Amino acid sequence: MVDNSSEEAKELGKLRDDIDAIDEKIGALISQRAVCAQSVAEVKGRYSDGSDPIFYRPEREAQVLRKAMARNQGPLSDEEYARLFREIMSACLALENPIKVAFLGPEGTFTHEAALKHFGASAKVAPMTAIDEVFREVESGACQFGVVPVENSTEGVVTHTLDSFMSSNLNICGEVVLRIHHNLMVSDVTKTDSITRIYSHAQSLAQCRKWLDAHYPNAERIAVPSNAEAAKRMRSEWNAAAIAGEAAAKLYGLTVLADKIEDMPDNSTRFLIVGQQDVGPSGHDKTSVVIAVKNEPGALHDILEPFHRLGVDLTRVESRPSRTGNWNYVFFIDFDGHVETPKVQTALEEVSRRAADVKILGSYPKGVL
Ligand SMILES: O=C(O)C(=O)C[C@]1(C(=O)O)C=C[C@@H](O)C=C1
């Protein structure tokens, strides 16, 4: 056999020298960018007129990420490429002013993953035990932003989140969509040929029903409050497994026995970012409103008509029982466009004349990553 190891070492050595030289340039540019972000913070502070400067700018972040994707030449995918800029911005924002983000916990849930995907690893994230706790934490100012799930492509709307908006004055400041991949995971004490119990959140068990029927028809399926809780709980049981996301496997030191076991390959969940801040237009925005209709025939049609006539694209209409008793239902409506644009303003003025009540939940950039 020919010994190629010295040839390999030579070639690798040359390529690694190239990488070192490139890293040096990237490093210098990152430092230069960070200094620029510090100057941005100084300018924001100088012009804030005594009020707290607004450091986090979701509309600008969306533009930076979109520009990064547009200029990507490969071989990295647009998403991978933009994710690197996501982290650079996250670190720059932390230098300006570290932000604290509440999310529906515990750690290792998909909401945790969504929070990190949206804010990057430099944000301080705090797990909460319930959706209303996330809202309260942001309302009180203990955290500047919150992340909550709002709809899943397989299981539908998260009613708890929509209902929380009825009693809250928080705005929607952003959205993030996460592809949900489920994994069957075990610990180092699990006897993998003797799995008789599988823990997960009820929604995840439902999203993997066909796979479980095919592979573990006789295992007991046990619903627990979250996937992360499932991962934590099965660790000491030799005959148990859990279904959860990759983050939970990493966090609890588990081994993935089977990945991507969800029945629908494009299974995804949309999360909302809630906060006290109004967000300016980014160029590709969405607006969410909640509309109480009058309790009379044709009321919903009357509400939707101006959107249609003015060419405002509705992306979601969801009805929820009203809590006030003055009318039967409220409608959560999402549409394309920012509330500061004339077309959206005209549509909302017309709708306001026809509705019992209109509450604007926020305009925000469409999810980029
Ligand atoms: O442009 C700004 O306002 C900045 O603060 C800079 C920056 C960035 O790093 O690009 C950082 C944080 C903001 O959320 C948006 C962008």
Side-chain angles (χ1 to χ4, degrees):
M1 224 172 85
V2 191
D3 180 8
N4 286 327
S5 56
S6 66
E7 285 305 309
E8 182 189 353
K10 222 159 95 190
E11 280 190 45
L12 282 184
K14 165 81 184 74
L15 287 168
R16 285 175 181 160
D17 285 347
D18 289 350
I19 285 181
D20 284 345
I22 295 167
D23 283 353
E24 212 172 293
K25 285 187 200 154
I26 296 175
L29 288 173
I30 289 176
S31 298
Q32 217 176 310
R33 192 187 192 287
V35 171
C36 218
Q38 280 180 319
S39 305
V40 167
E42 188 272 319
V43 170
K44 286 176 184 170
R46 200 153 24 88
Y47 285 91
S48 65
D49 293 335
S51 58
D52 284 343
I54 300 174
F55 294 106
Y56 176 58
R57 302 286 169 96
E59 69 281 22
R60 171 68 184 157
E61 296 209 350
Q63 287 166 346
V64 170
L65 296 177
R66 284 185 209 128
K67 278 188 209 172
M69 283 175 145
R71 81 174 164 251
N72 177 30
Q73 312 254 314
L76 294 176
S77 71
D78 285 354
E79 193 163 320
E80 284 293 338
Y81 185 78
R83 235 167 25 82
L84 300 174
F85 284 90
R86 157 73 288 147
E87 287 306 328
I88 293 173
M89 265 196 298
S90 178
C92 286
L93 176 62
L95 203 57
E96 289 187 37
N97 183 253
I99 52 170
K100 222 177 144 198
V101 178
F103 69 94
L104 177 64
E107 284 177 332
T109 55
F110 288 115
T111 315
H112 188 192
E113 245 176 81
L116 294 177
K117 184 179 177 189
H118 191 80
F119 288 100
S122 300
K124 292 198 176 99
V125 291
M128 301 292 134
T129 55
I131 286 172
D132 15 319
E133 210 186 311
V134 174
F135 274 77
R136 274 200 303 275
E137 197 73 358
V138 182
E139 279 158 3
S140 73
C143 286
Q144 288 112 309
F145 297 96
V147 184
V148 286
V150 68
E151 59 182 323
N152 175 267
S153 58
T154 323
E155 294 300 306
V157 70
V158 181
T159 52
H160 231 89
T161 293
L162 292 189
D163 291 348
S164 296
F165 281 110
M166 289 196 231
S167 53
S168 169
N169 285 325
L170 292 184
N171 286 337
I172 302 177
C173 304
E175 65 170 5
V176 53
V177 178
L178 203 65
R179 282 292 285 272
I180 302 292
H181 294 305
H182 289 305
N183 309 277
L184 186 79
M185 52 192 72
V186 294
S187 76
D188 40 12
V189 303
T190 315
K191 290 197 168 40
T192 51
D193 51 359
S194 314
I195 293 171
T196 56
R197 335 179 74 193
I198 297 178
Y199 291 102
S200 196
H201 187 272
Q203 274 212 356
S204 307
L205 289 171
Q207 289 169 16
C208 303
R209 190 175 52 77
K210 285 190 197 147
W211 189 90
L212 287 169
D213 288 348
H215 295 86
Y216 291 91
N218 300 319
E220 189 187 354
R221 298 171 199 179
I222 303 168
V224 291
S226 72
N227 294 328
E229 176 67 33
K232 202 157 85 185
R233 198 178 285 194
M234 54 70 61
R235 281 185 301 177
S236 53
E237 298 185 26
W238 62 270
N239 59 342
I243 293 176
E246 238 179 276
K250 274 195 203 126
L251 194 66
Y252 298 111
L254 304 178
T255 306
V256 172
L257 267 194
D259 65 353
K260 298 188 180 158
I261 63 170
E262 61 278 2
D263 297 333
M264 309 286 264
D266 56 355
N267 187 23
S268 53
T269 296
R270 180 170 168 251
F271 299 84
L272 294 177
I273 315 303
V274 294
Q276 316 229 17
Q277 197 170 313
D278 285 327
V279 179
S282 75
H284 296 279
D285 303 288
K286 238 182 196 179
T287 298
S288 297
V289 294
V290 51
I291 300 179
V293 299
K294 292 176 183 154
N295 194 3
E296 56 192 34
L300 178 60
H301 173 269
D302 286 351
I303 298 301
L304 298 182
E305 190 275 330
F307 289 114
H308 175 66
R309 181 165 32 83
L310 293 160
V312 176
D313 278 339
L314 303 185
T315 53
R316 191 170 67 114
V317 178
E318 205 73 57
S319 68
R320 290 291 302 146
S322 154
R323 287 169 165 187
T324 64
N326 292 342
W327 39 70
N328 294 329
Y329 283 95
V330 294
F331 292 89
F332 285 86
I333 300 182
D334 289 353
F335 52 86
D336 279 349
H338 194 280
V339 76
E340 287 178 18
T341 56
K343 188 162 84 169
V344 169
Q345 274 176 1
T346 311
L348 285 176
E349 276 161 22
E350 288 201 28
V351 171
S352 299
R353 281 199 290 274
R354 299 169 182 208
D357 191 27
V358 177
K359 182 177 168 190
I360 298 172
L361 299 179
S363 289
Y364 49 93
K366 287 185 187 179
V368 182
L369 287 179

